[in-house]
């Protein structure tokens, strides 16, 4: 039980960025925010427990702290399945998307079963609250039927989404992109919030998945009663420093490095699309997949990368998650080979060493993407690389 407002964020990808963005905007409004997320528990912006904190035990820490005025909880599949929800009901429930990840774990074998688990977040919203649902995802959209509260849809392609348009026609609320503007809409009325060019984490609109995360966060903040100006301020102010490890783009002079947490096919697909939108001369990937994913999922990531990258370094996580050393790398190589493309591939098991090799071989105009397990060593390596780059200010990289 809790007596403070609570926002719960679930989905396959985008949970951490969305939760961080919501918490950041609320903190700018002077709220004492308790945030539980993949990288730690934060009370008033101070980390009190580092590491993956997305389950009910973490929720209890946040909700038990008397200093917390509003809770933002990243609510992941593992905690839901193993220990339950961790709170009675939410004022706002956000579901970002449902895609293939962790299938085969905890008895969840299909996307429908995964959706059924995550739908608990939408089903336990307060009758006076709101569920913020991705109208572009059929499984997420369907969660509206069991939600006791009001629905706010968000969409990257609202003009082509009939369910979104019907929702607005009935007087409902939605957040969408029109042209290059984010718009808050209700019924036949719409208010332009701000341009994608004004939001740092969208990289001028190239990072479409972060555009989607911004729509979800804006909808959640709208549901919490924040003014348009307050939402604008949060979206404008939120940058790479507030969102470590998620679509972080470093300018190293002659080339750029992208650090991202993509660890499933959908996450990789989004990051690769962003790389293409940034139009580098050459796309280089330092790739890996957690060992607890299915063989088919690892093969699919390898094939996808071969179809979109020009050079690949394969690495493996330190935590093999039940695999033998080299097993995931071999599966990725098989997936790459199945694409039938001619592409250079090197295997370097250490992700830090793999990134170092990519940096050493970088060409002018390259964009190097590394899909990491451990963020801090890569940040340290890039800081050292930055010292070699003249007349660059590392703190201002996007």
């Amino acid at each position: 039980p809790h007596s403070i407002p609570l926002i719960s964020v679930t989905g396959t990808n985008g949970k951490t960025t969305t939760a961080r963005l919501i918490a950041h905007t609320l903190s700018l409004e002077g709220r004492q925010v308790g945030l539980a997320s993949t990288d730690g528990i934060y009370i008033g912006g101070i980390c009190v427990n580092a590491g993956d904190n997305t389950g009910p035990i973490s929720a209890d820490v946040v909700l038990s702290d008397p200093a917390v005025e509003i809770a933002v909880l990243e609510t992941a599949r593992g905690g839901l399945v193993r220990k339950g929800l961790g709170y009675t009901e939410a004022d706002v429930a956000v579901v970002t998307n449902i895609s293939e990840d962790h299938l085969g774990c905890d008895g969840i074998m299909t996307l429908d079963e995964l959706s059924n688990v995550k739908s608990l977040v939408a089903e336990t919203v307060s009758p006076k609250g709101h569920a913020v649902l991705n109208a572009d995802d059929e499984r997420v959209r369907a969660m509206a039927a069991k939600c006791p509260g009001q629905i706010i849809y968000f969409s990257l392609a609202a003009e082509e989404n009939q369910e979104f348009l019907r929702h607005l026609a009935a007087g409902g609320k939605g957040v969408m992109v029109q042209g290059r503007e984010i718009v808050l809409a209700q019924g036949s009325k719409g208010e332009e919030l701000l341009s994608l060019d004004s939001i740092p984490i969208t990289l001028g609109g190239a990072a479409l998945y972060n555009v989607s995360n911004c729509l979800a966060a804006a909808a959640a903040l709208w549901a919490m009663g924040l003014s348009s100006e307050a939402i604008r301020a949060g979206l404008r102010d939120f940058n790479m420093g507030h969102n470590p490890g998620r679509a972080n783009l470093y300018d190293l002079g002659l080339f750029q490095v992208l650090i991202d947490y993509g660890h499933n096919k959908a996450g990789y697909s989004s990051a690769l699309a962003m790389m293409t939108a940034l139009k580098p001369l050459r796309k280089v990937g330092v790739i890996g997949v957690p060992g607890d994913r299915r063989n088919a999922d690892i093969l699919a990531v390898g094939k996808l990368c071969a179809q979109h990258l020009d050079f690949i370094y394969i690495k493996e996580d330190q935590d093999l998650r039940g695999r033998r050393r080299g097993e995931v790398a071999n599966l990725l190589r098989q997936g790459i080979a199945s694409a039938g493309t001619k592409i250079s591939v090197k295997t370097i098991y250490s992700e830090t060493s793999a990134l170092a090799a990519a940096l050493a071989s970088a060409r002018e105009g390259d964009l190097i993407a590394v899909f990491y397990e451990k963020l801090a060593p890569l940040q340290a390596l890039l800081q050292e690389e930055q010292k070699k780059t003249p007349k660059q200010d590392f703190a201002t990289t996007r």
Side-chain angles (χ1 to χ4, degrees), residues 187-201:
S188 60
K189 298 180 180 179
E191 177 188 359
E192 289 188 354
L193 193 64
L194 77 173
S195 167
L196 299 181
D197 296 319
S198 302
I199 308 173
I201 66 166

Side-chain angles (χ1 to χ4, degrees), residues 17-38:
T17 297
T18 302
R20 285 172 171 171
L21 182 48
I22 292 168
H24 178 72
T25 306
L26 290 168
S27 69
L28 291 180
E29 286 288 283
R31 312 283 185 92
Q32 186 78 347
V33 181
L35 169 66
S37 70
T38 298

Side-chain angles (χ1 to χ4, degrees), residues 250-269:
Y250 296 87
D251 190 345
L252 295 177
L254 297 179
F255 59 94
Q256 294 178 309
V257 176
L258 172 71
I259 294 185
D260 197 72
Y261 191 59
H263 53 278
N264 52 50
K265 185 180 178 182
Y268 267 87
S269 181

Side-chain angles (χ1 to χ4, degrees), residues 152-282:
I152 303 180
Y153 282 131
F154 66 94
S155 173
L156 289 171
E159 295 175 353
E160 302 170 7
N161 191 313
Q162 294 304 310
E163 188 61 33
F164 187 97
L165 296 175
R166 280 193 289 268
H167 179 69
L168 290 187
K173 293 181 177 181
V175 183
M176 58 186 175
V177 176
Q178 286 188 331
R180 296 188 61 78
E181 298 286 331
I182 291 180
V183 175
L184 305 181
Q186 183 170 14
S188 60
K189 298 180 180 179
E191 177 188 359
E192 289 188 354
L193 193 64
L194 77 173
S195 167
L196 299 181
D197 296 319
S198 302
I199 308 173
I201 66 166
T202 72
L203 301 181
L208 270 180
Y209 56 104
N210 268 347
V211 176
S212 184
N213 294 334
C214 287
L215 297 180
L221 294 162
W222 189 18
M224 288 299 299
L226 267 69
S227 67
S228 298
E229 189 52 48
I231 300 171
R232 286 189 194 99
L235 294 176
R236 284 186 182 129
D237 190 65
F238 191 77
N239 57 43
M240 187 179 85
H242 302 113
N243 198 32
R246 267 65 177 178
N248 294 169
L249 187 64
Y250 296 87
D251 190 345
L252 295 177
L254 297 179
F255 59 94
Q256 294 178 309
V257 176
L258 172 71
I259 294 185
D260 197 72
Y261 191 59
H263 53 278
N264 52 50
K265 185 180 178 182
Y268 267 87
S269 181
S270 295
L272 293 170
M274 186 188 77
M275 292 180 74
T276 299
L278 291 173
K279 299 180 180 179
L281 295 180
R282 194 174 66 140

Side-chain angles (χ1 to χ4, degrees), residues 239-241 249-251 386 391-398:
N239 57 43
M240 187 179 85
L249 187 64
Y250 296 87
D251 190 345
Q386 184 67 29
K391 298 180 181 179
Q392 294 287 326
D393 181 2
F394 186 80
T396 62
T397 55
R398 288 181 290 181

Side-chain angles (χ1 to χ4, degrees), residues 4 44 49 98 102 113 124 179 189 265 292 322 342 375 379:
I4 60 172
N49 188 18
I98 301 292
H102 292 289
E113 291 173 349
T124 52
K189 298 180 180 179
K265 185 180 178 182
D292 59 356
K342 291 184 178 180
L375 180 60
Q379 290 176 319

Side-chain angles (χ1 to χ4, degrees), residues 287 306 310-314 332-333 336-337 343-347:
I287 71 169
D310 301 305
F311 197 104
I312 294 175
Y313 293 87
I314 296 175
L332 285 169
R333 274 190 170 275
I336 291 166
I343 184 169
S344 296
V345 181
K346 288 186 178 180
T347 299

